[in-house]
Amino acid sequence: MTLRAAYVLLWYPKPSETFLVTEVRGLRARGLDLLVFTLYGPLSRGLTPELRAEPGVERLGLGGLGRILGGLGHWLARKPGTVFSLLGRALAAGLGGCSGDRGSLWSRLEKYGENLWALLSSFHLARRFQDCGVTHIHAPWACGPATAAWAASRLTGIPFSFAGRARDVHPPDGLLPEKLRQAAFVRVIARCNAEQLEILGGLPPGTVQLIREILPWPDCPKAAARFAAPLHILGLGRFVGKKGFDDLLRACRLLLDQGLDFRLTLAGDGPERARLLALAERLGLRGRVEFPGFVTHAEARRLLLAADLLAAPCRVEPSGDRDGLPMVLLEALLHCLPVVAADVADIGELVQDGVTGLLVPQRDPESIARAISRLAADRESALNMARAGRQRVRDLFAPEVNLERLEALLQRSAGAEGR
């Protein structure tokens, strides 16, 4: 059977998910017939003209409510038992395990709402997949997109697959075990997530496939990394707890006490912004810390090129939320920018302590400060580690190798369905 794949996402394109644009474009460049569907409406903030022109995307959102209700009526007339089974399963499992700390509760409530919208959207998408001759459904995220893919597969018999990355599997939503068991294949981006998902789904070891992120290889000039006073430290990412930026601010207070001349650029936005601003003020870091706000991918690149080092003090939140392998670390090393990072999740596979960067324990401002001081004191050693890190990224994230492996899994699913 000829492969015609449907990708299901929340948004596309999204400024913080340019790696998925690279993935879609890369598969299309290899000759795959690939359609893109989103559960939400279009985004505009932070999109470059190139991203705004991304072709071939069908979007839902609230404007698609009429189509969603039409799809529900369609399947109620044809497969009422399956429809009620799907609705009952989502309602019963969506809040499964929703207890514990406030962060965990909010995360699960958020995923519950996302899954319910995804399930409703699946009634329309299932019809579209049949109309378009789709032979395989793939969701690049394990929560709402995978739920829509799973439900559409149940309605149509078209096989589906999905990828698990970071916050979409930490903590897991209540439907994830079922999605794991019924998927044609499951992909992870970070090795640390594979075993957890296999245990959660009751799958044999080695079932979940590790295929690294599909990264572009644009011209990657080397960062300035001059290490002249004041030392320019960069923190870049969403202002959420798992990024550990409050630990970085506390480390900077220690550096100031030790007499290091530095300035910190903390670029990004998110729910923790007000708290981080207040903390910087309380620590007496006024004039040392700059908060430029949300930055586009192009602006982030300029910040990386101008910095002396990147600090990524990630941590695991009480809810279980964590990064797998932050994209900013990969981009920093591609630009030969020295890095300090916390040893959580899959970071240690890329940032090998003393080889490709410096690793520190999570939630440890003193260790962060020591690592920054160590890099500041020996520029040549810092640059040697960054150069080794650049090669490490190229070895782990060779785009053609990862595209070929992903394409093979998609093709195998369509082939198996056709036999």
Side-chain angles (χ1 to χ4, degrees), residues 359-383:
L359 280 179
V360 298
Q362 62 173 315
R363 302 178 183 275
D364 192 340
E366 291 185 359
S367 293
I368 298 168
R370 280 197 299 271
I372 291 173
S373 294
R374 177 179 165 187
L375 291 181
D378 191 344
R379 178 177 185 267
E380 192 55 38
S381 174
L383 293 179

Side-chain angles (χ1 to χ4, degrees), residues 8 16 62 141 195 205 226 272-273 299 342 350 380 388-389 417-418:
V8 182
S16 60
L62 291 177
W141 298 99
E195 183 179 3
R226 297 183 180 90
E272 294 286 305
R273 179 178 176 81
E299 291 165 341
L350 175 66
E380 192 55 38
E417 184 69 9

Side-chain angles (χ1 to χ4, degrees), residues 70-401:
L72 175 60
H74 173 88
W75 291 109
L76 277 172
R78 289 159 178 79
K79 292 188 174 182
T82 303
V83 170
F84 286 117
S85 173
L86 289 169
L87 288 169
R89 186 75 185 90
L91 289 168
L95 282 174
C98 192
S99 61
D101 63 277
R102 181 180 177 184
S104 177
L105 176 62
W106 174 252
S107 178
R108 291 183 185 279
L109 284 170
E110 185 180 23
K111 289 181 178 181
Y112 184 38
E114 183 180 311
N115 272 331
L116 288 180
W117 178 257
L119 182 64
L120 291 173
S121 300
S122 73
F123 299 126
H124 165 72
L125 292 175
R127 291 185 71 184
R128 289 294 295 136
F129 296 158
Q130 287 185 327
D131 292 344
C132 294
V134 168
T135 59
H136 185 86
I137 311 163
H138 182 71
W141 298 99
C143 193
T147 296
W150 162 73
S153 176
R154 287 277 305 273
L155 290 165
T156 62
I158 302 169
F160 82 100
S161 57
F162 67 92
R165 285 178 156 82
R167 66 180 295 273
D168 56 331
V169 296
H170 299 294
D173 69 74
L175 290 170
L176 189 51
E178 191 161 350
K179 291 182 283 189
L180 286 164
R181 289 190 292 269
Q182 296 185 19
F185 70 86
V186 178
R187 169 197 177 193
V188 290
I189 311 304
R191 188 182 304 277
C192 62
N193 289 330
E195 183 179 3
Q196 178 200 355
L197 292 183
E198 287 166 353
I199 293 171
L200 185 64
L203 306 175
T207 301
V208 174
Q209 302 292 311
L210 173 65
I211 303 178
R212 300 288 185 182
E213 209 67 89
I214 312 298
L215 298 179
W217 293 118
D219 176 38
C220 291
K222 293 182 179 179
R226 297 183 180 90
F227 281 68
L231 182 75
H232 185 182
I233 305 165
L234 176 63
L236 178 61
R238 287 188 69 228
F239 286 176
V240 291
K242 67 181 177 182
K243 296 297 184 181
F245 289 142
D246 54 342
D247 293 326
L248 178 57
L249 288 171
R250 293 185 177 94
C252 285
R253 176 67 245 187
L254 296 173
L255 292 172
L256 186 60
D257 292 342
Q258 294 162 15
L260 182 69
D261 188 8
F262 73 90
R263 62 185 177 91
L264 168 66
T265 298
L266 208 50
D269 203 355
E272 294 286 305
R273 179 178 176 81
R275 193 171 78 87
L276 292 173
L277 285 165
L279 179 61
E281 185 73 18
R282 191 165 66 250
L283 291 171
L285 295 174
R286 179 183 292 182
R288 294 280 181 175
V289 184
E290 177 189 12
F291 290 87
F294 172 83
V295 295
T296 65
H297 190 260
E299 291 165 341
R301 186 185 191 196
R302 286 194 291 273
L303 290 174
L304 289 166
L305 290 173
D308 292 319
L309 64 90
L310 175 85
C314 305
R315 65 194 185 203
V316 179
E317 289 293 274
S319 66
D321 190 15
R322 71 199 73 177
D323 276 314
L325 185 53
M327 292 296 297
V328 68
L329 279 171
L330 278 65
E331 295 185 46
L333 289 174
L334 282 173
H335 291 294
C336 284
L337 182 67
V339 299
V340 172
D343 189 9
V344 297
D346 226 30
I347 290 174
E349 191 169 359
L350 175 66
V351 184
Q352 300 166 310
D353 190 40
V355 179
T356 62
L358 295 183
L359 280 179
V360 298
Q362 62 173 315
R363 302 178 183 275
D364 192 340
E366 291 185 359
S367 293
I368 298 168
R370 280 197 299 271
I372 291 173
S373 294
R374 177 179 165 187
L375 291 181
D378 191 344
R379 178 177 185 267
E380 192 55 38
S381 174
L383 293 179
N384 284 338
M385 284 188 276
R387 284 189 283 266
R390 183 181 200 177
Q391 188 56 51
R392 182 72 174 159
V393 174
R394 291 188 178 277
D395 289 343
L396 288 176
F397 295 86
E400 285 307 313
V401 173

